[in-house]
Amino acid sequence: MNTKRLITQLVSLFLFMNCAFTQQSVNIIPQPVFSELKNGIVSIGAQTEIVLINKDAARTVAYLNDYLAKWTGYKLKIVNQPVKDPAITQIIYDIKVKADAPDEAYGIKARDNTIRLMGDARGLFNATQTLLQLMEQNASSDRKKISFPACDIYDYPRFQYRGMHLDVGRHFFPVDFVKRYIDLMALYKFNTFHWHLTEDQGWRIEIKKYPRLTQIGSMRKQTVVGKKFNPFVGDSIPHGGYYTQEQIREVVKYAADRQITIIPEIEMPGHALAALASYPYLGCTKGPYEVATRWGVFPDVFCAGNDSTFTFLENVLDEVIQLFPGKYIHIGGDECPKTRWEKCPKCQERIRQLGLKDEHALQSYFIQRIEKYLNGKGRMIIGWDEILEGGLAPNATVMSWRGEEGGITAAQQHHDVVMTPGKYVYLDHYQSRDSSEPLAIGGFLPLNTVYGYEPIPAKLSVEEAKYIKGAQGNVWTEYMPTESQVEYMVYPRAIALSEVLWSQQNKKNYDNFLNRLKIEMKRLDRLKVNYAKHALGIKGDVNRTKEGIIKLSFSSRLDGAKIRYTNDGSEPGPNSEIYLQPLTIGKSMTVRARPFLNDQPYGNEYRQDFIIHKAAGKKVISKFAPGKEHNPGSDFALVDGIEGSENSDDNNWFGFSGNDLDAVIDFEQPVEISSFGINFINNPRGWIYPPSSLSFSVSDDGMVFRNVASKDSFENKRLLKIRMDVTSLKARYVRVIAKNAGKIPEGKPGAGNDAWLFVDELLVF
Ligand code: ACM
Ligand code: ZN
């Protein structure tokens, strides 16, 4: 070893000990199968060379250099021959060492001035991602010097299908964003991009044979505002866009350069309004149709009785096949109402002719006919789990979204399965129950739930489990109108999913993951990804003292952060009050708080309006328990000074399925009362109804109550804030009864089921 190198290494070691980390293993996401730190360090800088032994890695090396150029400002020289004991570091792209290594496996051996990456083309791309994480974590601020510990890594994925989906139908996203989406996927070793290209609200792929699909179908005249469906409020802003075939080829190549396969989705027979608006002959009623301006499921679908529907779809698929070289074409199959088929002479004639049992069998015929066509062209279909209904097409892969049942059934029938159950991987669901969350479609899917997902259902046998090829995060964009909102919903939850899909089960540990995520967030910051910071951000807990005083306390996982807050509604800044102990909420106020790291705001803001009224913090008992998914956990939440927001999934709402609200507040002594209040949600689409009647009664002994206010009709508004004045009275107990609406009436979503009653905050003034 020459002296110069020794000095370089000592200097690096010194730097490393001072400013890097003291760790037992490398900090890689997703967690590798095997990694071990070795003595010494390796350094990369502008002089480092790449040795391209495995020529299959040429595109990956080009990718690496592009990445480095953007990040460090330099590219590395590519040479053909490794040097023994080189003077400057060489990154060797070598062939795979173990012939029987699993698909996509790679090895890294980093020592002194040699970083050897071993694998086939896909393995070496994965190795490059691991290398980039090591580099990002250990770069000097000017990136001239990148030093990390010598190490051995051997790694391969647990699942072969590691997917992310993007709905560009509900909102269109330009090519540059789609590329960025793919770029981010690549960092976490995803290998499949499911591109949802057609929807009721927009057709996004140019089809040369049918120009109206993009002339008409790619544009809607406006979009529903928030959740104002009934009565409908539109934004009067046309929304549209599509990808030309040239752009699609460009994206396909871009993804392939990152070892990502794209699965295009062309939806049928449902979610087809944009196609029908373009070519009304494709529908049962022949229209006229309009590209949808609101979200939901629409009765007008492709006519299954008309052969020209199939001619159209085959012609479309011919062009799709030309654009997408991957094995799979996704044909949708979900959420296809059968109402038009039931009335359509052609559809009914088809059922008679083929002796089909019903309209579900007709859907099965539809999918099987398309499958046969695509199989004939050497392609395989994937469909949403509804394609099980009426009989599964012989070679279909099932994407299980309405839970895991569809996937289980398909695996038991020896069909390949991709798991995408709503409860674990629908990244359009809320990730926090804070009422300050931006509007989302619903649900609740925090980071730890994604992380805890296990794609192989316990009830499958070992043999059946082999059909579970992997899982995918779904990103439906009804409530993601902007690129930054997509990133907010996807990251970091997609990173948690990457570990579900890649890492061995025994390597998973949520706490450890959060520590690695904290490091990775620095890269997300550098890349200006608008990721959600709940995992490290601030959490507010509201409690009451024995004396009925409401207290607000904060916590944060962020080491060294100071929490600063205001209680006058103003934005917390570096000079705002520092949080030291639980705050007393003695009067109505707006509290805003945020962690600050070195005087810089970090993470999500906590923001809460408190309304302090006479019952706030008092004793309350609800006779019935709310349903499990809509239970804030303690009756105190009925009087915690926080009102439920428009979002029925926020954690303030008490949701009673079939049951009434029957609650008694005990003030422990008589109090003067001049008015009552209570809030409800009214959202029949979500099976949530106002009560059939509401009454407030009072008592001095808690036994005999007299009615003082009641009401049995309610406005047609989503958020009902009921306020009722009474002639001033004095009482110790207040009883509130809100009668559940009962069974959902015919003609409404969920007809015949128990209605939900959503209640929050019982107010007394
Ligand atoms: C789906 O979420 N409709 C597949
Ligand atoms: Zn028809």
Side-chain angles (χ1 to χ4, degrees):
M1 187 181 276
N2 65 38
T3 318
K4 189 158 157 242
R5 245 186 77 202
L6 183 65
I7 291 171
T8 313
Q9 294 208 345
L10 283 173
V11 168
S12 304
L13 183 64
F14 177 76
L15 282 173
F16 163 61
M17 287 166 61
N18 272 283
C19 62
F21 44 79
T22 48
Q23 60 177 27
Q24 299 311 305
S25 63
V26 295
N27 288 308
I28 301 300
I29 300 179
Q31 186 75 272
V33 172
F34 172 87
S35 67
E36 194 169 78
L37 292 187
K38 297 291 182 183
N39 289 330
I41 48 149
V42 291
S43 296
I44 292 173
Q47 304 308 315
T48 299
E49 291 174 351
I50 293 173
V51 186
L52 187 57
I53 293 177
N54 186 342
K55 299 287 187 266
D56 292 341
R59 289 193 303 180
T60 292
V61 165
Y63 164 89
L64 174 67
N65 260 336
D66 282 348
Y67 187 106
L68 291 178
K70 282 198 202 107
W71 174 39
T72 65
Y74 53 78
K75 288 193 181 200
L76 305 182
K77 192 170 140 198
I78 302 170
V79 299
N80 287 317
Q81 286 298 323
V83 176
K84 197 170 176 331
D85 198 15
I88 47 170
T89 303
Q90 291 196 319
I91 303 173
I92 302 171
Y93 276 78
D94 209 340
I95 57 166
K96 81 175 178 190
V97 275
K98 292 209 304 203
D100 60 347
D103 281 352
E104 302 186 69
Y106 69 91
I108 296 179
K109 201 175 184 68
R111 294 282 191 291
D112 303 327
N113 275 1
T114 301
I115 301 167
R116 186 179 297 276
L117 312 179
M118 295 152 279
D120 62 10
R122 289 188 299 164
L124 286 172
F125 186 79
N126 294 326
T128 301
Q129 291 305 339
T130 295
L131 177 66
L132 283 172
Q133 283 191 21
L134 290 171
M135 291 169 68
E136 287 263 4
Q137 292 164 13
N138 298 290
S140 62
S141 54
D142 64 2
R143 286 118 196 204
K144 290 220 166 73
K145 183 87 191 161
I146 300 171
S147 300
F148 55 88
C151 57
D152 284 344
I153 297 173
Y154 177 58
D155 199 11
Y156 54 86
R158 181 173 171 217
F159 290 102
Q160 75 178 59
Y161 186 111
R162 303 183 303 281
M164 282 297 297
H165 152 282
L166 183 65
D167 164 18
V168 294
R170 272 54 177 265
H171 283 100
F172 175 74
F173 297 96
V175 166
D176 280 349
F177 181 72
V178 175
K179 287 182 174 174
R180 179 174 161 94
Y181 195 83
I182 289 168
D183 263 331
L184 291 171
M185 284 173 60
L187 302 184
Y188 306 105
K189 303 188 176 91
F190 284 98
N191 65 0
T192 309
F193 173 47
H194 173 172
W195 202 359
H196 184 79
L197 286 164
T198 72
E199 256 307 334
D200 296 308
Q201 296 83 4
W203 182 282
R204 306 293 178 214
I205 172 173
E206 178 190 29
I207 301 295
K208 304 264 195 214
K209 198 171 181 104
Y210 299 108
R212 287 171 64 85
L213 286 171
T214 40
Q215 285 162 4
I216 307 287
S218 73
M219 185 63 72
R220 62 175 177 262
K221 67 181 188 210
Q222 63 173 339
T223 304
V224 62
V225 174
K227 293 191 177 174
K228 296 186 195 303
F229 298 105
N230 191 12
F232 178 88
V233 179
D235 65 2
S236 303
I237 303 168
H239 178 91
Y242 67 90
Y243 309 103
T244 64
Q245 295 202 348
E246 195 181 344
Q247 287 175 319
I248 286 184
R249 286 201 180 86
E250 181 188 326
V251 173
V252 167
K253 176 177 185 310
Y254 193 84
D257 286 347
R258 286 149 184 77
Q259 298 296 334
I260 290 173
T261 303
I262 302 186
I263 297 180
E265 181 177 356
I266 306 296
E267 271 265 18
M268 62 190 81
H271 288 292
L273 255 185
L276 268 52
S278 311
Y279 296 98
Y281 73 87
L282 297 170
C284 292
T285 66
K286 314 297 178 210
Y289 305 110
E290 187 182 80
V291 180
T293 56
R294 54 156 71 221
W295 321 124
V297 172
F298 299 87
D300 286 301
V301 302
F302 285 121
C303 176
N306 194 345
D307 279 329
S308 58
T309 300
F310 292 94
T311 307
F312 167 84
L313 288 170
E314 288 168 11
N315 288 334
V316 167
L317 290 170
D318 281 347
E319 293 191 32
V320 169
I321 289 170
Q322 290 305 313
L323 294 169
F324 295 94
K327 179 162 87 164
Y328 292 104
I329 307 286
H330 201 302
I331 48 72
D334 61 320
E335 298 182 320
C336 179
K338 309 296 187 289
T339 45
R340 294 292 186 259
W341 291 358
E342 284 162 9
K343 299 241 156 59
C344 169
K346 284 196 165 165
C347 286
Q348 290 305 312
E349 176 56 24
R350 175 92 72 199
I351 289 177
R352 256 193 314 278
Q353 246 181 21
L354 300 174
L356 301 175
K357 182 161 155 272
D358 57 12
E359 285 72 21
H360 291 295
L362 183 58
Q363 157 134 350
S364 173
Y365 159 81
F366 195 116
I367 302 295
Q368 296 203 29
R369 183 163 165 176
I370 294 293
E371 177 182 69
K372 202 164 164 202
Y373 184 77
L374 285 170
N375 285 173
K377 305 265 167 176
R379 303 305 180 93
M380 304 286 282
I381 66 162
I382 302 190
W384 301 108
D385 57 52
E386 285 93 330
I387 67 169
L388 281 155
E389 293 164 8
L392 196 48
N395 305 311
T397 295
V398 171
M399 212 168 243
S400 188
W401 73 279
R402 295 176 301 177
E404 296 173 287
E405 270 319 305
I408 291 169
T409 306
Q412 287 168 340
Q413 294 178 19
H414 295 186
H415 280 256
D416 284 350
V417 171
V418 175
M419 283 295 192
T420 67
K423 244 171 83 179
Y424 295 101
V425 293
Y426 263 49
L427 305 185
D428 55 342
H429 290 182
Y430 284 100
Q431 49 197 321
S432 145
R433 293 201 197 263
D434 289 352
S435 51
S436 55
E437 274 304 305
L439 189 68
I441 197 159
F444 177 53
L445 178 58
L447 186 66
N448 59 334
T449 303
V450 178
Y451 191 83
Y453 178 50
E454 169 47 44
I456 297 192
K459 61 164 108 145
L460 291 185
S461 70
V462 173
E463 195 48 43
E464 290 161 349
K466 291 183 184 149
Y467 292 93
I468 309 292
K469 297 300 165 189
Q472 170 177 289
N474 287 348
V475 183
W476 304 102
T477 57
E478 286 96 330
Y479 298 92
M480 300 179 210
T482 63
E483 298 172 5
S484 81
Q485 183 62 14
V486 171
E487 291 185 353
Y488 177 79
M489 297 303 277
V490 173
Y491 287 93
R493 289 186 292 185
I495 301 181
L497 181 61
S498 80
E499 198 143 313
V500 170
L501 290 168
W502 180 279
S503 304
Q504 300 299 307
Q505 266 177 297
N506 64 2
K507 290 277 176 177
K508 278 176 68 189
N509 176 303
Y510 187 61
D511 250 6
N512 180 284
F513 168 74
L514 285 182
N515 289 335
R516 284 176 286 126
L517 180 60
K518 221 150 79 174
I519 297 168
E520 185 60 17
M521 280 176 170
K522 294 194 187 114
R523 175 157 66 157
L524 297 179
D525 285 331
R526 179 181 76 70
L527 295 171
K528 299 195 163 46
V529 177
N530 181 35
Y531 62 96
K533 302 187 176 79
H534 306 89
L536 299 181
I538 189 170
K539 193 165 161 297
D541 278 312
V542 178
N543 277 302
R544 68 173 152 195
T545 65
K546 277 204 300 288
E547 295 76 31
I549 310 287
I550 293 186
K551 293 277 188 183
L552 168 63
S553 53
F554 294 121
S555 53
S556 164
R557 269 193 95 102
L558 200 60
D559 303 332
K562 288 191 175 72
I563 294 170
R564 294 180 182 272
Y565 71 95
T566 66
N567 59 13
D568 60 1
S570 64
E571 188 178 338
N575 299 317
S576 299
E577 205 77 43
I578 293 177
Y579 170 80
L580 297 171
Q581 61 187 29
L583 309 179
T584 298
I585 311 295
K587 59 179 173 49
S588 295
M589 60 174 77
T590 298
V591 179
R592 297 175 67 177
R594 203 151 182 201
F596 281 74
L597 210 52
N598 307 323
D599 286 346
Q600 293 299 312
Y602 190 94
N604 296 47
E605 183 184 310
Y606 172 92
R607 182 188 182 130
Q608 189 62 61
D609 294 326
F610 289 90
I611 173 164
I612 297 304
H613 50 94
K614 287 195 171 129
K618 295 293 176 289
K619 286 191 178 149
V620 64
I621 293 175
S622 165
K623 183 165 164 189
F624 303 107
K628 169 156 105 323
E629 297 92 354
H630 300 286
N631 185 347
S634 139
D635 289 345
F636 162 61
L638 281 169
V639 293
D640 60 358
I642 300 175
E643 294 179 283
S645 68
E646 289 232 357
N647 165 17
S648 54
D649 290 299
D650 90 36
N651 199 28
N652 295 299
W653 290 105
F654 285 69
F656 298 93
S657 176
N659 276 332
D660 302 334
L661 165 80
D662 184 347
V664 175
I665 304 166
D666 178 0
F667 290 93
E668 297 187 83
Q669 59 189 26
V671 292
E672 297 246 12
I673 294 171
S674 60
S675 74
F676 297 104
I678 185 168
N679 302 344
F680 301 110
I681 293 251
N682 173 20
N683 177 23
R685 291 163 63 99
W687 305 14
I688 307 171
Y689 286 80
S692 55
S693 68
L694 165 69
S695 70
F696 290 91
S697 51
V698 298
S699 166
D700 295 319
D701 58 6
M703 316 274 275
V704 183
F705 284 84
R706 66 186 166 95
N707 193 6
V708 287
S710 53
K711 189 171 168 65
D712 56 14
S713 70
F714 300 89
E715 267 182 289
N716 188 11
K717 266 175 38 178
R718 184 183 175 90
L719 180 57
L720 289 165
K721 293 192 163 203
I722 313 297
R723 301 292 179 265
M724 298 167 86
D725 292 338
V726 289
T727 34
S728 188
L729 58 87
K730 226 170 161 169
R732 173 173 163 178
Y733 297 93
V734 170
R735 182 175 184 187
V736 193
I737 298 178
K739 289 269 182 213
N740 189 292
K743 295 286 177 209
I744 297 173
E746 274 315 305
K748 299 281 188 193
N753 289 288
D754 286 334
W756 285 87
L757 171 70
F758 268 56
V759 181
D760 183 49
E761 203 66 6
L762 305 179
L763 303 118
V764 177
F765 298 96

